[in-house]
Amino acid sequence: MDATATVERMYAAANGRNLDALPEIFAADFYSHPLRQRGVEPIRAAWKTIFETFPELRVTPRRMIAAGDRVAVWSVIENVPGEPELMELIRVADDRIAELWGLSSTNLRP
């Protein structure tokens, strides 16, 4: 599987609210730079909180650029106040997301 396909699986899981898919998408030692945490469980907790706070939230990638094991994604976060923009840099290893950096035009924390 190429890195872009792995990243697309992440967005499909997020938009489908499929938290059970996270261990198949993220590496066990995944590191989130925005959360400053390692592992799948912090992602599960963050996604769950966001989905409960914004039940209609949808992340729509507008552009993806892949180079080797890295994918840069520019997205719009729909159905939340202001429809913020999101930019993520994602590193993929062994068909799983290993590391993620992200910037957003807003903070969606409840």
Side-chain angles (χ1 to χ4, degrees), residues 57-80:
L57 179 144
R58 180 171 178 79
V59 179
T60 302
R62 298 287 190 214
R63 183 171 186 185
M64 285 190 197
I65 299 173
D69 65 349
R70 312 274 169 145
V71 180
V73 186
W74 290 263
S75 304
V76 174
I77 304 171
E78 299 173 337
N79 304 318
V80 300

Side-chain angles (χ1 to χ4, degrees), residues 12-35:
N15 290 330
R17 309 301 190 257
N18 186 358
L19 299 176
D20 293 335
L22 296 182
E24 301 303 316
I25 296 169
F26 291 91
D29 64 345
F30 163 76
Y31 188 75
S32 169
H33 289 272
L35 295 176

